[in-house]
Amino acid sequence: MPSPLRIALIGAGNMGQLHYQHLRTLTEATLCAVADPGPQAAALAAEWGVGYFSDHRQMLEQVKPDAVIVANPNTLHVSTALDCLAVGVPVLLEKPVGVHLDEARELVAASKATGVPVLVGHHRRHNPLIVRARELVQSGTLGRLTTVTALWQLRKPDSYFEIPWRREPGAGMLLTNLIHDLDLLRHLCGEVRQVQAITQQRGARVCQRGLRGGVAAIRQWRTGQPDRLRRGGGALELGAGFRGEPDVSAPGRSAVLLAGRYGRRVKHSSAQTLALRRYRWGVA
């Protein structure tokens, strides 16, 4: 039996701790080190029984892990991943890839040049519900897509923003949360051809830090169907044509509706349920 893959964790905040909890369930991988300059990281590493480093570069040099999970603040994603690629260590990188397009392109180029893989943590693509939804779209069951509608609604408590980097440029709900929905729509519908958008800053906490508190956008996919995206005040709506249906507009849920020439398909999820339903016009 091969030895477990030795994985190091860079960033021991909420997401890093979730990654560790998952690693504990695997026999084919094991945590070998933690790198994080934060005050809680040393205690966590001791609790988990692995080495601790305040500097991830020192950890890479001394531990030489087989792979690394990068789960530090958004603005550090690309620079940290580049350090890993430079020493030949594959990376699982938390989303977003980066906070600027140029740095994301730099990371893509570095991965191609070194041949070292980078996987971005868009895990929702692998949800069985999403896998089935993509099969329905690609099989032509719905016909050509005509509109796309999605909703995400949540209010984050004030305590969420007590962590300093979450109040700084490069954080905010657009990059931290909306990125999931954008990725799923690209996964289900293909690449975006055109975007028109405006953003706004609302609320003292948002304006003082330069974060984007809302966005409105109209997009067209390469396959032709439009959608409208609206995100602000704790809610996200990607809509065209089916607002008002209970499955799409009910508060406290996230939902995606894809409409095609032959019918429509609703996927919705809440904290308690996941469901996938297919409709034909006029038939539930």
Side-chain angles (χ1 to χ4, degrees):
M1 183 176 179
S3 300
L5 193 70
R6 298 169 59 253
I7 298 179
L9 177 63
I10 300 177
N14 288 349
M15 291 309 303
Q17 293 174 44
L18 287 176
H19 281 290
Y20 167 70
Q21 294 301 328
H22 182 65
L23 277 174
R24 292 180 59 193
T25 69
L26 304 177
T27 58
E28 60 267 37
T30 185
L31 184 69
C32 65
V34 169
D36 187 324
Q40 85 290 354
L44 285 173
E47 177 185 338
W48 299 341
V50 298
Y52 166 73
F53 298 83
S54 60
D55 189 321
H56 68 270
R57 291 174 291 263
Q58 184 182 19
M59 180 274 293
L60 291 170
E61 180 181 352
Q62 294 187 19
V63 177
K64 296 180 171 53
D66 299 319
V68 164
I69 297 172
V70 174
N72 53 9
N74 295 350
T75 55
L76 301 176
H77 282 184
V78 170
S79 61
T80 306
L82 288 172
D83 289 337
C84 296
L85 298 188
V87 294
V89 177
V91 176
L92 170 58
L93 180 62
E94 264 298 334
K95 51 76 195 167
V97 175
V99 299
H100 300 292
L101 184 58
D102 288 345
E103 65 173 359
R105 286 172 171 161
E106 180 184 2
L107 181 59
V108 171
S111 180
K112 290 180 177 179
T114 60
V116 181
V118 175
L119 175 65
V120 180
H122 285 301
H123 57 87
R124 297 184 187 181
R125 290 188 177 204
H126 305 286
N127 186 305
L129 183 149
I130 298 299
V131 172
R132 178 57 180 152
R134 192 165 188 259
E135 289 173 352
L136 288 173
V137 172
Q138 293 191 329
S139 69
T141 300
L142 303 180
R144 182 180 63 83
L145 291 179
T146 56
T147 58
V148 181
T149 307
L151 169 69
W152 182 78
Q153 185 168 333
L154 177 71
R155 185 189 185 279
K156 292 197 173 185
D158 290 344
S159 59
Y160 173 86
F161 298 95
E162 291 175 359
I163 298 176
W165 75 265
R166 292 176 176 170
R167 305 191 301 268
E168 301 296 335
M173 292 187 182
L174 301 185
L175 283 172
T176 303
N177 300 105
L178 181 62
I179 197 74
H180 274 305
D181 302 275
L182 294 176
D183 178 70
L184 279 187
L185 288 174
R186 289 177 59 236
H187 183 58
L188 293 171
C189 306
E191 292 298 335
V192 177
R193 181 172 66 185
Q194 185 177 11
V195 178
Q196 299 178 20
I198 58 173
T199 62
Q200 68 175 4
Q201 296 175 331
R202 177 178 295 175
R205 180 174 56 199
V206 169
C207 293
Q208 290 172 4
R209 299 291 179 172
L211 302 179
R212 297 299 178 185
V215 60
I218 299 174
R219 297 176 300 176
Q220 187 173 40
W221 307 94
R222 288 182 181 175
T223 50
Q225 74 276 10
D227 72 35
R228 184 186 62 199
L229 180 150
R230 188 176 66 199
R231 173 74 178 83
L236 161 70
E237 180 179 356
L238 303 159
F242 296 102
R243 295 180 63 193
E245 290 197 5
D247 292 307
V248 177
S249 61
R253 291 181 175 180
S254 62
V256 174
L257 185 148
L258 303 177
R261 294 184 63 191
Y262 303 148
R264 54 185 174 145
R265 191 268 301 151
V266 176
K267 161 257 180 181
H268 76 259
S269 66
S270 69
Q272 293 78 31
T273 63
L274 286 174
L276 175 66
R277 286 183 280 171
R278 177 189 165 196
Y279 296 83
R280 288 190 179 277
W281 295 114
V283 179

